[in-house]
Amino acid sequence: MERITESAIEKFAIELLEKQGYQFIYAPSIAPDSDTPERQSFEDVLLMERLQTAVGRINPSIPADIREDAIKQIQRLNSPELIANNEAFHRMLIEGIRVGYQKDGYNRGDLVWLIDFKNPENNDFFGCQPIYRY
């Protein structure tokens, strides 16, 4: 009987996600010191260019500066309690991010979505194998 390892489980999970349409990239490929960096430091959790592109694609009717304000709300999650940050981010994913702006002289409230639930192909399914640093 073959021994189950963390590596085997990780490989299995990656294969399942790829079958569902996720793009998989090995983390060192997008590291700050790589040929194709997508973050400025290893502490960067958000891949900003991908996030900005996806938010623009999913919310084309929302002005660009308002979409940027919504992204800043994500960046400002700063509770000392990790669980509180996770719950707040989960709420943003599921319920959208509330924004307000002027349109045609009127105040308008709207939601900026991070996930397109109606058109899943509109989302950027991206998975990245972590770099373990001990």
Side-chain angles (χ1 to χ4, degrees), residues 54-68:
V55 167
R57 184 176 55 250
I58 294 168
N59 303 277
S61 64
I62 306 284
D65 59 326
I66 304 304
R67 294 191 307 252
E68 282 299 315

Side-chain angles (χ1 to χ4, degrees), residues 42-53:
F42 287 105
E43 287 78 31
D44 291 345
V45 175
L46 299 172
L47 302 178
M48 289 305 297
E49 190 173 318
R50 284 181 183 269
L51 178 59
Q52 290 164 336
T53 300

Side-chain angles (χ1 to χ4, degrees), residues 58 94 111 113-123 125:
I58 294 168
I94 302 304
L111 293 170
W113 295 97
L114 302 175
I115 298 176
D116 189 336
F117 291 102
K118 293 178 184 170
N119 304 298
E121 67 282 350
N122 210 14
N123 297 305
F125 294 107

